[in-house]
Amino acid sequence: MERSVKLEASLACANFRNLESDIAQLTAAKIDFLHIDIMDGKFVPNFALDFSIMQTARELCAIPQECHLMVVEPERYIDKTVASGAEYVGIHYEATYHVQRSLQQIRDAGAKAGIVLNPATPLTNLEYIMDDIDMITIMTVNPGFVGQKLIPAMLRKIKDTRTLLSATGHDNIEIQVDGNVSFQQIPEMVAAGATMLVGGTSSVFHKDYSIGEAIAAVRTIVKRAEAAQ
Ligand code: DX5
Ligand code: ZN
C-alpha cells in the first residue's frame, strides 16, 4: 500500500514573539498540519497551548490543525477541541477510564480520532479498539517537555505498530511519531512505518536553520527514506 508521510509543526515550539512570521513560513513551506499540544499541568507536569491559540492560528492561516490532548479526562474537552477547529484529536490511553467511548465522542463531534500511547503503554491495549481509531501516536519521549532524547525502544514500537496494522488489515490508520523527530532519526522512523512526523525543536524549529530550510531538509530526508524501502 502506497503511504504518504505528512509533516507537522509542533506549534508549542514556535517563536511566540513573532508567531505571525513563523506561521507565514510554515504556510510557504506547505507544512501538512499544525500539531497543537494542550497540557493541563496534571496529566503532564507542564502547561502548554489552549483553544485561544488554535483560534489565533486559524485567523493567521488555513493549515489544518491536529490536537494532542495531554489532559486527564479528555472527554471534558473533546467537543470544545473539535469546535475550535481540530481535524484530528489525539487522547492519551492513560488519561481516561473509558477510552472507546472517548474515541467515539471524537468521531461523533466530527473529527478523526487519535489514540496516544506513552512510552510504557503496550500496543496490546489497542486490540479491541482498532475500528475506533484513525491515528495511533507513538510517544518517543515521555510527554510534557520539548527538547528531550528519544527512548531507543520506541523505534521498535513504531515497527511493531506497522506490523500490527498490516496483520489486522488496518494499514489505513496513520502512525504518528511525537518527540525528538530529528533529522538523524527520521529515516529510521519512516522505515519503521511512521506516516505523520511531529517536528519540534529537533527539526522544523531547529535553532540552526530557518523554518523553510528545516522543512526542505526534512522532505529530502523523507523522500530518500521512502525510496530506500
Ligand atoms: C510533546 C511535544 C513535543 C514536541 C517537541 O507532546 O509534542 O514532543 O514534539 O519536539 P522536540 O522533541 O523536537 O523538541
Ligand atoms: Zn504532542
Side-chain angles (χ1 to χ4, degrees):
M1 178 180 162
E2 187 65 11
R3 288 194 291 269
S4 72
V5 174
K6 273 78 65 187
L7 181 58
E8 309 189 53
S10 184
L11 197 64
C13 300
N15 175 9
F16 278 80
R17 263 179 307 171
N18 203 346
L19 186 61
E20 198 165 352
S21 156
D22 274 16
I23 287 189
Q25 292 176 65
L26 293 169
T27 303
K30 297 195 169 56
I31 195 88
D32 296 296
F33 286 96
L34 294 179
H35 177 84
I36 315 280
D37 279 324
I38 296 185
M39 305 186 190
D40 67 353
K42 182 148 195 210
F43 181 71
V44 290
N46 214 349
F47 293 97
L49 310 181
D50 62 11
F51 301 121
S52 69
I53 290 288
M54 293 175 71
Q55 173 66 34
T56 303
R58 256 217 331 281
E59 287 165 15
L60 292 173
C61 69
I63 305 168
Q65 300 187 6
E66 178 272 308
C67 272
H68 177 188
L69 292 181
M70 283 166 271
V71 306
V72 295
E73 297 167 6
E75 55 273 19
R76 295 175 298 153
Y77 299 108
I78 287 169
D79 292 348
K80 181 98 197 270
T81 308
V82 178
S84 301
E87 193 168 297
Y88 280 85
V89 179
I91 57 166
H92 271 263
Y93 184 88
E94 309 84 8
T96 177
Y97 291 124
H98 303 290
V99 174
Q100 196 277 342
R101 180 189 289 154
S102 299
L103 291 167
Q104 203 54 57
Q105 188 184 346
I106 298 171
R107 284 186 173 170
D108 288 347
K112 293 191 179 127
I115 188 76
V116 189
L117 304 181
N118 276 343
T121 304
L123 288 172
T124 46
N125 288 349
L126 302 180
E127 184 171 358
Y128 302 107
I129 52 172
M130 297 291 272
D131 291 333
D132 304 298
I133 297 172
D134 300 296
M135 172 181 79
I136 299 169
T137 303
I138 304 301
M139 291 304 307
T140 42
V141 300
N142 285 293
F145 301 94
V146 305
Q148 303 182 82
K149 267 216 171 74
L150 173 131
I151 298 165
M154 295 306 108
L155 290 170
R156 180 160 59 84
K157 195 174 184 185
I158 300 167
K159 211 177 280 172
D160 290 345
T161 308
R162 175 55 62 202
T163 304
L164 173 71
L165 296 187
S166 299
T168 58
H170 287 95
D171 266 316
N172 57 313
I173 296 176
E174 304 282 357
I175 301 179
Q176 183 187 57
V177 180
D178 190 8
N180 196 199
V181 176
S182 65
F183 301 118
Q184 293 77 14
Q185 304 285 3
I186 287 170
E188 269 201 84
M189 291 170 166
V190 171
T195 58
M196 293 172 89
L197 303 173
V198 178
T201 62
S202 311
S203 53
V204 171
F205 295 102
H206 197 287
K207 63 177 176 33
D208 295 337
Y209 305 98
S210 73
I211 289 172
E213 286 168 347
I215 292 177
V218 170
R219 291 210 199 280
T220 304
I221 293 168
V222 167
K223 246 192 220 131
R224 217 176 288 147
E226 283 174 321
Q229 290 196 61

